[in-house]
């Protein structure tokens, strides 16, 4: 709702009251309409201030209404009525003014913002465009190039930048509403002719066509198949080329297309899923709201390889005191230099001082004696990690949480090396750890709820999206990656090329296809893991048994490349050719293609033609099938956890909502049918055998994704 009061005798104060973010729900819109009517009808009111309660102006339209039958007064006429008012209306912006919230402020005649406020037309991140006049008013106010930048990216601007751009008229460090009231008093009675943005001519760039052509090309490239950024450009083009009323019609038309699109549903699902993963639960019944985290002020990182360095930087940037331990002399010296460089570059980007004094370095593990939490990031080797955990258990003060950054190893086994296994959890960061947003917090059967709560809270403090998951080989992300990578290799054996597979995946929306990604990460990483698992047999053995390992189909293609020293970008050769070691542009490699042909001949495989659909179905459905197994095993609490891990950690295109959401959009029955088809064709690939949970969900009528958790609970109780 919205409340109308009169302050300072002649200022009508309208306060949006819809916790937690004053979203413009039907009731709130009705409240605003009524309050504006009261303010304009009150002869004692000479000017008006609109603000939001609890330190936030407005988080925009109520996203929860979007999937429903929208009732209540529409936003566009409501904002027009405010703009048309003959009494000056001032927006008092504290906290956030996003989406429809900023559009409401743009309908006001003046805007006063607190210095800490953030503003943005964020709709594009939800698969929409600013459809309450934002695409028409913003370019009129700040010019086409700046408006395009804000609207196509949805980026948040600070109050200082908003002032510089001309979005706000005044920035204050004091009480924003008090300042806005003063401002409203000062402009009472003044002409509003020059204050109604919709009446401004849109500044027309000299060569409109060339400008929009160039922008459209850039946007298409970075959008990776997302349609909203493109519609945003089209709407701003309408502002630059059409009168306001026709521009508004175009805005509404484009919005109507986006509004019902699968992409908007996917992006809005991601918005809520990102928040839902914070409300974690464990199979034991422990939950986020009943588990109290402990505050961590001092942490240690053991091992300063690539991961350890990134983790140390992320901890220091979050304001923690960090003890960084590396026992090997060469690595120690190199890491100190690298970590300082990373912090300096980060600080330069943010315009802050680098937190260099937050980190102390040591070559002695005893230096961690007084820390509250340790993150072990030594080489991925169980024997080595066992030793570190045994040492930590005796060195650290009572109650220190011991975390491992392992990407696949058994967290519970490591816990068993310590005196207090309840203090042990996995904190699986993604490289580069100071940049990537995802953190998997892995609990073992003995991890205490407090240890999980503490790791989750620390992740949040480090700016990560943290997801709590159970303990199994590869946890959620890497466990699902295995069948995906495996399918890609099988496709090559059967006749595909790296270009075909990557092309299909990139068209789907991945930033990099699976082979380019493997070249970037380094092919030797997986090789080492497969060696550890006893899967690698050197040489190019012939016959079908060469492609069966441990009773299932196996492709030695990756091993054979590694035997040739082709480790990917870092060696200048992998699935592609690079101009020199470390170069990033993947080029067609004739050697690789002859190698594949020779391989097929040697193994008696007749290459067949395959299309992008088969590539997508086999790679993605194998991965999704494993996602269902993860849900079945209770390793992830719900589909949202899996989807957020994939969107934030594995560059799954956000506008497709994550693998489990995607499966629900494709239709569970179809996914099941295609998996059955591929399993029949390839009975030696266990990953293609449809998971029981998928079968049972289909049998129960394929509930929508937001009902899976409940459905899984019900199915479990029937067993
Ligand atoms: C067939 C023909 C159809 C024709 C077309 C129909 C047209 C319909 C009319 C459309 C008019 C367009 C209007 C406008 O252009 C569209 C929009 O405004 S879209 C919304 C834009 N807003 C945003 O993108 C902001 C989203 N929110 C945030 O970024 C953050 O929440 C915040 C505001 C910065 C606050 O951050 P925090 O303090 O960290 O808090 P949380 O993020 O955890 O949020 C707390 C809580 O609030 C819920 N929430 C947040 N924003 C909204 C919202 N806009 N609507 C509903 N709910 C919101 C959030 O989910 C949290 O709750 P929880 O999920 O944890 O329960």
């Amino acid at each position: 709702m919205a409340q109308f009061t009169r302050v300072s005798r002649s200022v009508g104060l309208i306060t949006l009251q819809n916790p937690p973010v004053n979203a413009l729900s039907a009731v709130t819109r009705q409240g605003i309409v009524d309050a504006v009517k009261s303010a304009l009808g009150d002869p004692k009111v000479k000017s008006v201030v609109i603000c939001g309660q609890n330190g936030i102006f407005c988080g925009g339209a109520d996203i929860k209404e979007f999937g429903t039958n929208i009732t209540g007064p529409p936003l566009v006429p409501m904002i027009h009525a405010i703009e048309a008012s003959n009494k000056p209306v001032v927006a008092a912006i504290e906290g956030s003014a996003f989406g429809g919230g900023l559009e409401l402020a743009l309908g006001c005649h003046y805007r006063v913002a607190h210095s800490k406020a953030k503003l943005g037309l964020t709709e594009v991140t939800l698969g929409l465009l600013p459809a309450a006049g934002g695409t028409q008013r913003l370019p009129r106010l700040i010019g086409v190039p700046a408006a395009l930048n804000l609207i196509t990216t949805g980026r948040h601007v600070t109050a200082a930048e908003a002032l510089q751009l001309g979005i706000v008229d005044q920035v204050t460090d004091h009480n924003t509403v008090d300042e806005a009231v003063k401002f409203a008093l000062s402009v009472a009675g003044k002409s509003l002719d020059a204050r109604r943005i919709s009446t401004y001519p849109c500044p027309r760039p000299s060569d409109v066509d060339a400008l929009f052509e160039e922008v459209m090309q850039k946007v298409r490239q970075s959008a990776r198949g997302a349609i909203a950024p493109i519609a945003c450009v089209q709407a701003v083009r309408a502002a630059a080329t059409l009168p306001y009323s026709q521009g508004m019609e175009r805005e509404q038309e484009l919005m109507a297309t986006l509004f019902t699109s699968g992409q908007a549903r996917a992006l809005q699902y991601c918005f809520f899923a990102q928040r839902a993963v914070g409300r974690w639960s464990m199979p034991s019944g422990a939950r986020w709201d009943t588990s109290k985290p402990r505050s961590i002020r001092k942490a240690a990182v053991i091992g300063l390889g690539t991961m350890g360095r990134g983790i140390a930087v992320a901890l220091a940037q979050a304001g923690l005191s960090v003890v960084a331990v590396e026992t090997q002399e060469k690595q120690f010296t190199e890491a100190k230099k690298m970590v300082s460089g990373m912090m300096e570059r980060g600080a330069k980007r943010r315009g802050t001082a680098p937190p260099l004094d937050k980190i102390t370095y040591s070559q002695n593990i005893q230096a961690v004696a007084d820390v509250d939490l340790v993150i072990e990031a030594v080489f991925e080797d169980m024997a080595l990690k066992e030793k570190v955990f045994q040492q930590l258990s005796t060195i650290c003060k009572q109650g220190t949480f011991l975390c491992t950054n392992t990407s696949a190893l058994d967290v519970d086994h490591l816990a068993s090396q310590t005196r207090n296994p309840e203090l042990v959890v996995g904190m699986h960061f993604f490289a580069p750890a100071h940049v990537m947003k995802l953190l998997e917090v892995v609990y073992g059967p003995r991890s205490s709820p407090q240890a999980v709560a503490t790791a989750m809270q620390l992740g949040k403090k480090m700016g990560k999206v943290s997801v709590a998951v159970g303990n199994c080989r590869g946890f959620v992300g890497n466990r699902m990656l295995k069948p995906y990578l495996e399918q890609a290799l099988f496709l090559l054996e059967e006749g595909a090329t790296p270009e075909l597979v990557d092309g299909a995946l990139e068209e789907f929306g991945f930033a990099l296809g699976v082979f380019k990604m493997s070249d970037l990460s380094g092919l030797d990483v997986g090789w080492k893991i497969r060696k550890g698992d006893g899967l690698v047999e050197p040489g190019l053995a012939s016959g079908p048994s060469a492609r069966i390992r441990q009773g299932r189909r196996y492709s030695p293609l990756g091993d054979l490349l590694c035997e040739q020293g082709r480790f990917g970008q870092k060696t200048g050769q992998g699935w592609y050719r690079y101009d020199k070691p470390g170069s990033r542009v993947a080029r067609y490699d004739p050697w690789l293609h002859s190698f594949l042909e020779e391989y097929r001949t040697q193994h008696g495989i007749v290459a067949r033609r395959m299309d992008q659909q088969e590539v997508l179905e086999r790679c993605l459905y194998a991965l999704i099938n494993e996602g269902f197994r993860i849900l079945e095993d209770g390793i992830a609490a719900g589909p949202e956890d899996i989807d957020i891990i994939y969107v934030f950690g594995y560059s799954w295109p956000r506008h497709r909502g994550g693998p489990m959401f995607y499966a629900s959009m494709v239709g569970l029955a179809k996914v099941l049918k295609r998996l059955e088809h591929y399993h029949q064709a390839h009975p030696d690939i266990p990953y293609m055998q449809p998971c029981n949970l998928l079968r049972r969900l289909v049998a129960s009528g394929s509930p929508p994704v937001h009902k899976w958790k409940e459905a899984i609970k019900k199915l479990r109780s029937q067993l």
Side-chain angles (χ1 to χ4, degrees), residues 20-21 59 61-63 98 100 103 122-123 126 130-131 271-272 275 279:
V21 302
D62 185 346
I63 309 163
F98 289 153
E103 291 175 293
T122 49
E123 288 86 343
L126 298 167
F271 176 85
F272 290 116
R275 283 146 183 87
R279 297 188 283 271

Side-chain angles (χ1 to χ4, degrees), residues 19-24 29 56 58-66 70 74-76 95-103 118 120-126 128-134 156 251-252 255-257 259-260 268 271-273 275-276 279 460:
V21 302
N22 298 320
L24 296 166
R29 295 195 304 276
I56 172 163
C58 176
D62 185 346
I63 309 163
K64 288 187 181 121
E65 274 184 356
F66 287 172
I70 302 179
L75 267 181
V76 170
S96 316
F98 289 153
L102 180 53
E103 291 175 293
K118 291 270 171 68
L121 289 178
T122 49
E123 288 86 343
V124 71
T125 64
L126 298 167
L128 305 173
L129 54 72
H156 302 173
E251 181 186 276
Q252 299 305 304
M255 176 64 156
T257 311
F259 198 73
T260 48
Q268 287 158 33
F271 176 85
F272 290 116
R275 283 146 183 87
R279 297 188 283 271
K460 193 169 178 189

